[in-house]
Amino acid sequence: MDSKFHAFMFPWFAFGHMIPFLHLANKLAEKGHRVTFLLPKKAQKQVEHHNLFPDSIVFHPLTVPHVNGLPPGAETTSDISISEDNLLSEALDLTRGQVEAAVRALRPDLIFFDFALWIPEVAKELMIKSVSYIIVSATTIAHTHVPGGSLGVPPPGYPSSKVRFGENDAHALAKLSIFYKRLYHQITTGFKRCDIIALRTCKEIEGKFCDYIAHQYQKKVLLTGPMLPEPDTSKPLEEHWSHFLSGFPPRSVVFCALGSQIVLEKDQFQELCLGMELIGLPFLLAVKPPKGSSTVQEGLPEGFEERMKGHGVVWGGWVQQPLILSHPSVGCFVNHCGPGAIWECIMSNCQMVLLPFLSDQTLFTKLMTEEFKVSVEVLREKTGWFSKESLRDAIKSVMDKDSDLGKLVRSNHANLKEILVSPGLLTGYVDSFVEALQEELN
Ligand SMILES: O=c1ccn([C@@H]2O[C@H](COP(=O)(O)OP(=O)(O)O[C@H]3O[C@H](CO)[C@@H](O)[C@H](O)[C@H]3O)[C@@H](O)[C@H]2O)c(=O)[nH]1
């Protein structure tokens, strides 16, 4: 065949999945390959600015069928609560007819998927190769999606004694239990049936977990590297943020964002706000409105906005996270340890304070905090509650100039970043990945 291939991409209906798939699509397009990207209709508008090669990456919008129990018009995880994930996953399965029709009409050489476990079946029938491309950490896959373990308990031979759930992580396991069975089935079946397993990581960070997965599934595991976004030069940081941030000294602002899915209970949201106030440093808190409030302002603690005027902002909308992280005034990033956030954080110069909510976020937090010692974790109580004081203590422990812990994590973080930015490392991952795909197709 022609050495240039045509790939289909069909990620789970969540921005944390569609965006890194698109970054991979860009890397393929950069090398002259074509991509047809299947996604829910409404999502296209929100992600199309990530498409750097519109001539080579073509969106193929899908109509997401309604499933009883889902809010009308729900298409992505941003439209639903975590407890409705299984229903959205049923809706994804119901798009099979549309996907098959597109595959038959366009006959790609490869199909990348993650949760649609029926893709290998569709592909095989037409002699197309299927690639199970997983964008969450290899740590999570090794712990939770290898046969032999159970909810919260890793399978035999799992390669870490530190990257495990602790006694205060029951809150994360409780959330996982809602969709554990379905997700476990999707990923393990996808892995068994696909031609290639690919992971969004690099061996410098998760090598032993990748080797473990390859051994357990007896399949070659290809790595794409972290798939960081290309710096978006088309849109500078919005004026109101650059104006706000530039008013503070270098590295003094605490930026907090919790990804695209986390919606806090109102009391926990208020505690988060009060914790930011306690630190005494300028801050930008970009989180969704809490449960029961339609705006963040509506959920704020009494008098908070007035007290924080000119010093701290709580924002309920989308922000340009990578650009904020690279602003010289930002010195600390409090985040949920989502796979996108964490790679962006590692590549920044910000101190890392981790506040995980979901199970994959919790495991990656342990990897960063216990094994690499590049971050600190906000302590929670057994109920999962975190107090304003524990948030303040975690942030102060890395922001206080004289803190030994702060110096340690800063220096470990700088070393890790240096490895990742070493010339050719990340492009080398993409080159080897594409070569391996081409070999598979020949
Ligand atoms: O206001 C915002 C919020 C997010 N982002 C970007 O959106 C991406 C978010 O990705 P990520 O950090 O991975 O977070 P989530 O989308 O929240 O990740 C969800 O989806 C992942 C894949 O299922 C899970 O691993 C996580 O636990 C779950 O929170 C990142 O690139 C951010 O830079 C912005 O640019 N602006």
Side-chain angles (χ1 to χ4, degrees), residues 12 15-17 19 135-136 258-262 317-322 336 338-341 344 358 360-361:
W12 167 229
F15 290 101
H17 291 235
I19 294 172
I135 56 85
V136 298
L258 305 176
S260 61
Q261 264 190 301
I262 304 303
W318 191 259
V319 292
Q320 296 156 289
Q321 185 165 297
H336 64 314
E344 288 160 14
L358 303 181
D360 65 302
Q361 303 165 359

Side-chain angles (χ1 to χ4, degrees), residues 138 159 199 203 206-217 219 221 223:
L199 302 175
K203 65 178 181 357
E206 294 192 286
K208 63 183 178 189
F209 299 98
C210 300
D211 292 345
Y212 177 70
I213 294 166
H215 187 254
Q216 295 301 308
Y217 280 93
K219 265 194 183 157
V221 168
L223 308 183

